[in-house]
Amino acid sequence: NSFVVRTNTCGELRSAHVGQKVTLYGWIQYQRQGLFLVLRDFQGLTQIIIPQDEAHSHVKKLLSNAPVESVVRVSGIVSPRPPGQENPKMPTGDIEVKAETAEILNFCKKLPFEIKDFIKKSEALRMQYRYLDLRSFQLQHNLRLRSWVVMRMREYLCNLHGFVDVETPTLFKRTPGGAKEFLVPSREAGKFYSLPQSPQQFKQLLMVGGLDRYFQVARCYRDEGSRPDRQPEFTQIDIEMSFVDQAGIQRLIEGLLQYSWPEERGSITTPFPSMTYEEALAEYGTDKPDTRFGMKIVDISDVLRLSDIQFVQNALSYPRGSIRAICIPQGVRYLKNKDLESLKESAKSQFNQEIMEIICRPDGSLKSLLTKFLGEKQQLELIQALNMQVDDVVLLAAGEHKQVCSALGSLRLLSASLLEAAGLALRDPTAFHFLWVVDFPLFLPKAENPTELESAHHPFTAPHPSDASLLCSDPTKVRSQHYDLVLNGNEVGGGSIRIHSAEQQRFVLEKVLKEDSEVLSHLLEALESGAPPHGGIALGLDRLISLIVDAPSIRDVIAFPKSFRGRDLMANAPDYVPAEELEPYHIQVSWPLEEKEAKKN
C-alpha cells in the first residue's frame, strides 16, 4: 500500500485487523437491499456493512444507490462477522468492514456484461470490451503470474548467469525464408521496412560484437492471416550465447524453467527427456508429441509382410512404405460408430489416407475386413504387437511412411479427445511433460515445388557436424543442429546452433536455397569479421503461460490480444487511412469494386 491513499487492499483483511480503522478503494461487485455490499480490487473481496442509523443516512443513500462496478472509497472499522455468518470460501470471510464514510469516485453506466467469471460471454464481446474483461479474477491472475514468471526469468538470466538484456530494433528489412513479415512503408519511394518475425539476425550480430550472452523479452510479428490460436504480434524469451553447444543451451533452459516455475503448479524434473525428429514422427506422428498418454504408433509391417492383402503389398512396395497402427483402449465401450467414421473421414480429408479398423471381441478374436486374409498365427502376432485387450479398437494405415505416421498421429489426438469426452481419463491436466526434439532435417521440399528446397526452420541453422559433407552432395539428408522444446504436445521453444562461417552461410543461401545473398550482405560481412561459434533459443512466452494456467487460448494470457483474424475488436484496428496521409509514403490504395461502392454509400 505504499504510495497510495488506501490503508489496505480488499483481499488482505483478517481477524487480526479487527478493531482497526481502514480505508479501502475498489469496485462494487455486489449490493444487497441497502444492507451490505462487496467491494473488489485486484487482490480480492471485502464485505462492507452499510450503516442503517440516522447519523449515517447520507452514507447509506450513497452506497445503496451506487450502481454495480462504480468506483468507491470506503472508510470504517474492521469487525468480526456474526457467528454462523462467516464465509470460508472468502479469504476475508471472517471479517466485515462497518462503513463510516464513503465517496463515489466514479459512477458506472450499465455494462454489456457482468464482471463475474461464471457469466458466459462470447470471446468477441470480451475482446471488444477488454478493459472490462481485465477486471475478472482469472485474467488478473493470468497476467500477474505472467509478470512473476518473466521477473524470475530475468533474475535467473541476468543476475545469476550474466546475460545482458538488449533491446533490438523493430523496424528492419525483409528476411528471406521463414514466416511472412509485415511491411512498413518509408518516405523513400518503393522502399519498405519489415517488422521482424524474431530478433534472429540482431542476436547473432550481438555475438559477433562480443556480448557473449544476450537476452530479451522480445516483441515479434508474423503476417500469417487467420490462424485460430496465433497472434500477429507475440512475445518471445529470446536468448543467444557464444561458445556453446546444444547440450549447454538445453541445460540453461531446463534451469531457467525450474527457477521460474510457479510453486502452485508443482515441480518439474530435469533433465528433460529427448527424442529425435524421426523417433517422434514414427511413434507419435508429429514433431511435437504429447507424451502424457500412450497409444503410440506401432510398426506392424513385418507382421503383415507375408500376407496376401493387396493394399498391404502395394504400400510395402513404396521406397518408404509401411503399415502402422494405433490401439485405442476400450474403444468399443467409449466410441460410437459415428466417432469411428469421423476419425476415418478426418484421415481421408486431411491426409488422403485410408484407415481400416480392427476390433477385439469379448472372446479375444478379431473383427475386421482383414481377418479373412490372416491366419491364426498372424492374428495372434498382431494382437501381441499392438498389445490388444478386449474391447480395444485398432486403426490401421498403409502407405508412405510420413503420410501414414502423420495421419495416425492426428487420429491419436482426436481419439484421446473423444475418449476423454466420453469419460475415460487419459491426459492429466495437472501434469507437465517437457520433451526435447532434436535432429530435425535441415531442409524440406517446398510444398508448391518439391524439386526446390527451403529451410525447415531458418537459413541460419548449422548442419549436424556428421552431415556437413552432405551439404554439397545430398542436402535433403542433412540433419540440423536445431532443437525444439515441447510441453504436453505444444511447441513452446525452438533454437539452434548457428552457422558462424560466412562461406558455409553463403553456400546455403545461394546454392541450396537459391536465395539472393545480397539481402543478407551485412550478416555475411559480420561472419567474416571474426564471428564466434554461437547458438540460442526462443521460448514462446504466450504459449508457455497459457499452458501453465491451463487457459483455453493464448488470448487469455495477453492483456490486449487480436482476434484470430488479426483484428483489434476494441479499437477497430486495422483501420482506413485518408489518401493524403498515404502520399508521403508514395502509396495509392487500389480498392476492390465492392469496397469502392460501399465507401461511396
Side-chain angles (χ1 to χ4, degrees):
N1 296 303
S2 313
F3 320 116
V4 291
V5 288
R6 65 179 173 231
T7 61
N8 301 86
T9 66
C10 294
E12 68 178 293
L13 295 177
R14 301 290 186 271
S15 297
H17 296 93
V18 167
Q20 293 182 17
K21 182 164 185 175
V22 296
T23 299
L24 307 180
Y25 287 75
W27 287 261
I28 297 175
Q29 170 96 354
Y30 174 74
Q31 194 263 109
R32 184 175 179 186
Q33 298 173 343
L35 298 174
F36 70 87
L37 59 83
V38 175
L39 197 63
R40 182 194 74 242
D41 68 6
F42 73 94
Q43 203 177 46
L45 305 168
T46 296
Q47 181 165 291
I48 309 293
I49 300 300
I50 299 173
Q52 303 298 310
D53 59 302
E54 191 60 37
H56 293 93
S57 59
H58 62 291
V59 175
K60 178 181 180 180
K61 184 178 179 184
L62 203 67
L63 294 179
S64 300
N65 294 333
V68 168
E69 290 303 312
S70 295
V71 184
V72 301
R73 174 191 61 76
V74 174
S75 294
I77 304 296
V78 181
S79 306
R81 291 199 187 189
Q85 292 186 24
E86 299 90 347
N87 185 348
K89 293 181 181 177
M90 281 174 71
T92 61
D94 289 335
I95 61 91
E96 56 195 16
V97 173
K98 293 184 174 176
E100 293 181 342
T101 64
E103 180 186 0
I104 308 297
L105 302 173
N106 213 329
F107 282 90
C108 182
K109 66 176 185 178
K110 184 171 172 56
L111 300 179
F113 54 81
E114 289 185 71
I115 314 297
K116 289 174 184 167
D117 285 340
F118 61 84
I119 299 288
K120 297 278 186 204
K121 310 170 278 281
S122 72
E123 190 175 48
L125 190 66
R126 288 175 57 207
M127 291 176 69
Q128 185 180 351
Y129 297 97
R130 190 61 167 187
Y131 47 88
L132 296 179
D133 198 33
L134 285 168
R135 295 181 190 174
S136 71
F137 279 119
Q138 190 59 59
L139 268 184
Q140 289 268 331
H141 171 263
N142 293 354
L143 293 176
R144 290 175 192 283
L145 182 131
R146 177 182 175 129
S147 171
W148 182 89
V149 168
V150 170
M151 186 262 304
R152 293 283 289 178
M153 287 181 167
R154 284 186 192 279
E155 278 181 10
Y156 182 84
L157 292 168
C158 298
N159 297 354
L160 300 184
H161 293 289
F163 279 77
V164 184
D165 186 349
V166 181
E167 295 172 46
T168 54
T170 300
L171 294 176
F172 193 44
K173 67 185 292 186
R174 189 184 68 83
T175 304
K180 200 169 182 183
E181 294 167 335
F182 285 102
L183 297 178
V184 179
S186 77
R187 290 173 184 264
E188 294 183 58
K191 291 188 177 181
F192 293 80
Y193 297 105
S194 74
L195 301 180
Q197 52 190 293
S198 83
Q200 182 61 46
Q201 292 183 55
F202 290 114
K203 63 182 181 177
Q204 289 191 242
L205 293 167
L206 287 168
M207 296 305 101
V208 178
L211 259 78
D212 194 69
R213 296 183 172 199
Y214 144 91
F215 144 77
Q216 182 183 187
V217 181
R219 294 296 280 165
C220 305
Y221 307 87
R222 287 180 190 167
D223 187 7
E224 294 188 317
S226 300
R227 300 285 291 272
D229 207 26
R230 289 282 181 93
Q231 287 282 293
E233 50 186 344
F234 55 97
T235 306
Q236 294 183 166
I237 302 298
D238 203 46
I239 291 169
E240 198 80 4
M241 297 172 74
S242 295
F243 310 112
V244 71
D245 59 11
Q246 183 170 308
I249 296 283
Q250 290 174 335
R251 285 199 307 274
L252 171 81
I253 295 305
E254 289 167 358
L256 172 71
L257 288 169
Q258 262 194 328
Y259 188 84
S260 58
W261 197 254
E263 264 184 48
E264 65 264 30
R265 303 307 277 163
S267 59
I268 53 177
T269 307
T270 60
F272 301 153
S274 183
M275 182 183 296
T276 68
Y277 167 80
E278 285 296 339
E279 288 169 339
L281 185 67
E283 293 185 4
Y284 295 94
T286 175
D287 59 4
K288 46 187 179 193
D290 188 343
T291 55
R292 288 175 296 170
F293 69 108
M295 285 174 59
K296 290 185 185 179
I297 300 169
V298 179
D299 186 352
I300 53 172
S301 303
D302 289 342
V303 176
L304 299 180
R305 197 175 296 280
L306 299 177
S307 70
D308 295 327
I309 306 169
Q310 191 59 49
F311 79 87
V312 167
Q313 296 307 321
N314 289 346
L316 293 175
S317 68
Y318 297 151
R320 290 205 73 197
S322 72
I323 319 297
R324 292 179 180 256
I326 57 169
C327 182
I328 304 173
Q330 300 296 292
V332 172
R333 188 184 304 177
Y334 288 100
L335 300 184
K336 302 181 175 70
N337 281 335
K338 66 172 187 177
D339 294 328
L340 292 173
E341 289 307 314
S342 75
L343 290 170
K344 290 195 273 190
E345 178 54 40
S346 169
K348 180 68 177 169
S349 60
Q350 287 188 53
F351 300 95
N352 194 27
Q353 179 65 56
E354 296 289 349
I355 298 292
M356 186 162 286
E357 68 193 72
I358 306 170
I359 291 171
C360 189
R361 294 190 180 107
D363 63 1
S365 64
L366 300 183
K367 175 188 173 187
S368 171
L369 294 173
L370 283 179
T371 49
K372 62 182 177 183
F373 300 104
L374 300 175
E376 216 171 288
K377 181 171 178 287
Q378 280 180 312
Q379 290 191 38
L380 188 61
E381 286 176 354
L382 197 61
I383 289 170
Q384 288 174 340
L386 291 160
N387 194 24
M388 289 181 75
Q389 308 293 321
V390 170
D391 284 344
D392 286 356
V393 174
V394 164
L395 301 180
L396 180 149
E400 190 275 325
H401 171 72
K402 187 172 182 181
Q403 178 180 309
V404 162
C405 291
S406 298
L408 288 174
S410 173
L411 296 186
R412 175 179 177 267
L413 295 175
L414 290 172
S415 302
S417 297
L418 288 169
L419 290 173
E420 287 173 337
L424 181 65
L426 267 186
R427 294 171 288 196
D428 182 354
T430 65
F432 293 95
H433 284 217
F434 283 97
L435 172 74
W436 290 109
V437 180
V438 300
D439 290 354
F440 284 83
L442 187 57
F443 307 108
L444 294 171
K446 286 185 177 177
E448 65 276 13
N449 185 359
T451 60
E452 294 181 4
L453 295 178
E454 62 184 2
S455 296
H457 293 93
H458 58 61
F460 314 117
T461 302
H464 196 288
S466 310
D467 298 349
S469 60
L470 294 170
L471 263 182
C472 301
S473 57
D474 194 352
T476 58
K477 290 186 177 166
V478 178
R479 291 168 299 162
S480 70
Q481 291 191 69
H482 180 93
Y483 31 86
D484 273 355
L485 182 60
V486 176
L487 173 57
N488 294 356
N490 297 269
E491 182 193 333
V492 292
S496 65
I497 302 302
R498 323 300 185 189
I499 296 171
H500 67 278
S501 155
E503 183 184 0
Q504 190 177 73
Q505 185 67 81
R506 190 173 276 109
F507 180 86
V508 166
L509 288 167
E510 295 177 356
K511 304 300 183 189
V512 181
L513 300 176
K514 314 296 185 197
E515 294 278 5
D516 179 9
S517 65
E518 191 57 36
V519 179
L520 293 167
S521 59
H522 57 284
L523 181 65
L524 292 168
E525 280 186 35
L527 295 181
E528 290 173 329
S529 307
H534 57 283
I537 193 167
L539 298 178
L541 183 65
D542 308 313
R543 179 86 56 216
L544 178 64
I545 300 297
S546 72
L547 291 168
I548 290 174
V549 301
D550 195 25
S553 162
I554 61 171
R555 290 185 283 278
D556 290 315
V557 299
I558 299 171
F560 296 100
K562 302 288 188 290
S563 73
F564 79 93
R565 296 189 185 280
R567 293 192 61 82
D568 179 339
L569 300 181
M570 182 179 67
N572 196 27
D575 204 355
Y576 296 108
V577 175
E580 58 269 21
E581 290 186 24
L582 293 175
E583 281 178 21
Y585 301 105
H586 315 280
I587 289 176
Q588 275 188 312
V589 178
S590 177
W591 296 102
L593 190 60
E594 61 271 20
E595 286 197 40
K596 261 185 192 171
E597 294 303 317
K599 283 179 79 67
K600 275 183 194 172
N601 298 331

